[in-house]
Amino acid sequence: MPAPIKNDFERLLIEQSDKLTTSKASDFLAVLEKLMLQAASWFEVDRLTLSPNSAIMLNEGCLISVATQASHQLKIDKYTQTQFAEYFKSPLEHRGAYQSFSQQDLKNSPIEALKIFYQEGVRWHGIIKLTLLTETWGVLGVSRYDQQAQALSQTDITRLKLLSDIWLVHWQHAAISTILTQNGSISHHDSDKLLLIGKKKRSLLLALAEGLSTKQCAERLAISPRTVESYKYELLDKLQLENQKELLHFALRNARYISGQC
């Protein structure tokens, strides 16, 4: 996919919006990867990575990384869940909308994931905070490998944030559309199960459907993260589900119905 003329961001925005709105839900992830690669070329960066700050979503494979060169691809198996949690903690606690790390910052960072980036050859890295439905969904990681790599301008940071917002909205719609297509509208079986769940746990299901992390769920429900985890296990038992993947699918499948009850 050829990159648009440099500085013609409006053309890029329109082209990507058209691609997203005309693609099938089942094809969405493949289309998104192409659009992210197009954006990486347009902004002259080597790698873009959409990362959720939710452990459930991360384990579900809800992380997409593209690179303009094969050698710059993110090697996800090199990072532990703890390292990802540490990586997310920085932007989530940072007041600004994004953070910028020079090669010296990366080399000396207390964040293990950033040190690994430096060891792999990244010489500038940016982290743009992303929100969806007023909640922090995750981040867009931006990497440059050139020894003389410069930070992105404020204008380009804002532009990438806008593109990412569009990607996320379509991603959520595609995910829900796919699940609803596979399962149809709420079944009597699901409806019967939901009658067994109290208001607090229905609210938790809604939060999970939005991709919130355990910490964010706890804040929304005014309970402790430990209680959130306890609720999840209770839900698995009451809903007769096997694992957290099935719980997330149940939440997505029934989100509209649950929201009418809460």
Side-chain angles (χ1 to χ4, degrees):
M1 183 181 297
I5 299 171
K6 190 62 180 171
N7 297 325
D8 192 355
F9 179 69
E10 182 179 359
R11 183 185 299 180
L12 174 68
L13 197 62
I14 292 172
E15 181 179 340
Q16 293 223 347
S17 180
D18 286 345
K19 291 284 186 182
L20 289 168
T21 54
T22 56
S23 67
K24 296 179 180 178
S26 56
D27 299 332
F28 176 78
L29 292 179
V31 172
L32 178 57
E33 284 192 12
K34 291 179 181 178
L35 297 184
M36 287 177 64
L37 190 57
Q38 180 189 38
S41 297
W42 198 92
F43 287 98
E44 298 178 349
V45 298
D46 297 299
R47 186 170 72 206
L48 289 176
T49 304
L50 270 177
S51 310
N53 65 308
S54 162
I56 292 178
M57 294 178 69
L58 192 63
N59 291 336
E60 283 292 292
C62 294
L63 178 150
I64 295 186
S65 187
V66 300
T68 54
Q69 295 183 37
S71 59
H72 296 159
Q73 277 287 1
L74 180 69
K75 300 174 179 64
I76 189 66
D77 57 337
K78 293 182 63 175
Y79 303 87
T80 65
Q81 185 66 55
T82 301
Q83 288 169 342
F84 264 108
E86 185 184 35
Y87 175 80
F88 289 125
K89 184 178 180 181
S90 178
L92 294 178
E93 294 182 348
H94 190 261
R95 289 189 175 184
Y98 74 97
Q99 290 177 282
S100 178
F101 301 89
S102 67
Q103 60 176 305
Q104 200 64 28
D105 294 331
L106 295 170
K107 183 178 181 180
N108 300 319
S109 177
I111 302 172
E112 193 63 30
L114 294 180
K115 282 186 177 179
I116 296 175
F117 286 171
Y118 177 80
Q119 293 165 5
E120 291 177 339
V122 175
R123 292 300 174 260
W124 175 79
H125 185 72
I127 303 177
I128 304 173
K129 192 184 302 184
L130 304 177
T131 57
L132 187 62
L133 299 175
T134 73
E135 300 289 347
T136 302
W137 178 89
V139 298
L140 178 72
V142 188
S143 299
R144 279 177 165 164
Y145 280 72
D146 189 272
Q147 286 290 339
Q148 308 303 318
Q150 299 294 313
L152 284 176
S153 67
Q154 176 64 60
T155 297
D156 279 347
I157 290 287
T158 302
R159 287 169 167 173
L160 263 175
K161 171 69 167 61
L162 177 57
L163 273 180
S164 298
D165 288 343
I166 294 173
W167 296 340
L168 288 184
V169 169
H170 282 84
W171 192 351
Q172 184 189 53
H173 175 77
I176 293 174
S177 176
T178 299
I179 290 173
L180 288 177
T181 299
Q182 291 172 345
N183 297 280
S185 58
I186 182 169
S187 67
H188 291 300
H189 190 48
D190 278 359
S191 180
D192 290 342
K193 287 181 177 181
L194 286 168
L195 291 175
L196 304 174
I197 302 172
K199 183 176 179 180
K200 205 80 168 182
K201 291 187 177 70
R202 291 200 301 272
S203 295
L204 175 58
L205 284 173
L206 279 177
L208 293 176
E210 292 176 24
L212 271 61
S213 65
T214 296
K215 181 181 177 181
Q216 291 171 322
C217 288
E219 290 173 351
R220 174 179 288 189
L221 275 62
I223 57 179
S224 71
R226 180 172 293 184
T227 302
V228 169
E229 292 299 330
S230 177
Y231 279 6
K232 287 180 185 177
Y233 284 108
E234 289 176 20
L235 284 168
L236 288 175
D237 182 52
K238 285 198 172 185
L239 298 174
Q240 300 177 339
L241 302 173
E242 293 294 327
N243 50 50
Q244 300 224 14
K245 177 179 179 180
E246 290 189 7
L247 181 62
L248 179 58
H249 284 185
F250 183 93
L252 286 168
R253 187 168 67 241
N254 298 303
R256 286 182 292 182
Y257 180 77
I258 299 168
S259 63
Q261 290 187 327
C262 292

